[in-house]
Amino acid sequence: MDKANNKRIVLVTGATGGLGTAMCKKLLQDGFRVVGNYITHEKAEKWTKKMNDEGFHIDLFHGDVSTFEGAGQMIKNIVEKTGPIDTLVNNAGITRDGRLVNMKPEDWYTVINTNLNSVYNCTKQVIDGMIERKFGRIINISSVNGQRGQFGQTNYSAAKAGMHGFTKSLAMEVAKYGVTVNTISPGYIGTDMVMAVPEKVLNQIVAQVPMGRLGGTHEVAHLVSFLASEETSFITGANYSINGGQHVY
Ligand code: CAA
């Protein structure tokens, strides 16, 4: 809790990406104290300038969440400068798409470290405080491709499916301390990551979405802010699909 302003503090990892940016804006608009994490200095400088120009003032903290030490140093800096973290949004993620026959070990390990091990690295270092303060929200940003699989994404789908396994188990462990743990599984959203998919392939994918379009980053951000709110205190271990009907089950 930000004592001076009586606001809950939310950390969004991978804040400078398409989804992260939308989440930061929405959370700020909804009255949270928002801090973001980034890895590339150049991108962070441009992001901060653009956000300030638009009237969104958000402190960014550097840290490589794919390592335990990187995540730990970042979280220490945030706690010292801003205060203890009430809500952690594990959003940082990358793709290294390719069929398994072509997948180099580096493509596998980089995706698992960045998308899945980061969830342990960050959560492990905020969970004790949440338990002590009897309040916490862990929100893991997974993917429809963790739920159903995707040609060319063995690494990414494995990491994203793993995130929800983590959610379910941790939800059970910390429920009695007022800490909730949930997963959000977005479908294809209009981010740079999705726009990097070859046009022909992407058109085929969108054709399979009953809504016939990509999702908006603001649509995912709205769900994040909902799950971060006080009133969602009985929702835990859930996996929220937000995919325009692409995968229903
Ligand atoms: N199902 C079955 N077969 C397929 C297929 C599919 N979906 N896609 C391609 N193939 C077949 C092709 O027809 C081809 O067969 P032939 O050799 O018999 O002609 C073979 O597989 C090779 O296809 P490619 O030429 O496409 O193979 P590639 O190795 O050059 O490229 C790829 C593979 C990089 C994975 C490319 O297909 C691709 O980029 N796919 C999109 C993957 C994707 O959706 N990524 C999502 C990124 S965004 C994201 O991840 C956010 C999120 O959470 C949703």
Side-chain angles (χ1 to χ4, degrees):
M1 181 85 78
D2 175 349
K3 289 264 185 303
N5 300 301
N6 206 26
K7 287 182 173 183
R8 294 280 184 203
I9 299 173
V10 184
L11 165 62
V12 177
T13 67
T16 59
L19 279 177
T21 303
M23 288 171 197
C24 287
K25 288 182 178 178
K26 175 68 177 156
L27 289 160
L28 203 67
Q29 283 168 338
D30 287 352
F32 293 94
R33 172 85 196 262
V34 185
V35 294
N37 147 260
Y38 74 96
I39 188 149
T40 315
H41 290 291
E42 218 183 25
K43 200 172 171 190
E45 271 171 34
K46 281 189 194 149
W47 187 88
T48 301
K49 189 180 174 319
K50 189 166 183 291
M51 292 288 268
N52 282 340
D53 289 348
E54 291 177 28
F56 296 98
H57 305 291
I58 292 164
D59 287 332
L60 281 187
F61 291 83
H62 180 258
D64 178 356
V65 294
S66 73
T67 72
F68 193 71
E69 294 71 27
Q73 190 56 54
M74 171 203 45
I75 287 165
K76 193 166 170 279
N77 292 342
I78 294 171
V79 173
E80 276 170 17
K81 189 165 176 229
T82 314
I85 294 161
D86 298 300
T87 295
L88 168 66
V89 186
N90 284 309
N91 167 66
I94 56 166
T95 52
R96 292 282 186 278
D97 291 355
R99 289 175 288 151
L100 188 71
V101 288
N102 297 325
M103 192 175 287
K104 296 185 182 68
E106 194 201 333
D107 298 328
W108 174 265
Y109 289 109
T110 308
V111 168
I112 299 295
N113 286 335
T114 305
N115 298 12
L116 180 60
N117 289 336
S118 61
V119 175
Y120 168 80
N121 295 338
C122 293
T123 309
K124 177 76 175 84
Q125 307 192 61
V126 299
I127 200 75
D128 287 350
M130 290 179 176
I131 290 170
E132 247 169 59
R133 296 187 301 278
K134 301 270 188 293
F135 179 89
R137 301 274 183 269
I138 307 286
I139 304 170
N140 294 322
I141 308 302
S142 179
S143 165
V144 65
N145 293 344
Q147 297 172 300
R148 57 157 218 161
Q150 168 62 37
F151 186 100
Q153 283 200 311
T154 50
N155 49 2
Y156 186 88
S157 298
K160 294 297 187 181
M163 286 175 97
H164 189 54
F166 177 97
T167 290
K168 290 189 283 188
S169 299
L170 184 62
M172 291 175 184
E173 294 178 15
V174 295
K176 66 179 174 197
Y177 305 110
V179 180
T180 68
V181 191
N182 291 290
T183 299
I184 293 177
S185 292
Y188 283 70
I189 312 296
T191 59
D192 288 349
M193 180 190 273
V194 166
M195 298 322 284
V197 173
E199 198 182 344
K200 198 173 140 222
V201 178
L202 188 56
N203 287 341
Q204 285 166 357
I205 291 169
V206 174
Q208 294 160 12
V209 179
M211 287 205 182
R213 66 169 175 89
L214 296 175
T217 54
H218 65 287
E219 293 171 308
V220 179
H222 181 74
L223 183 50
V224 170
S225 187
F226 166 74
L227 285 175
S229 67
E230 308 287 316
E231 294 82 358
T232 56
S233 41
F234 203 55
I235 301 176
T236 199
N239 189 353
Y240 280 78
S241 295
I242 174 162
N243 61 37
Q246 184 186 3
H247 180 63
V248 289
Y249 59 96

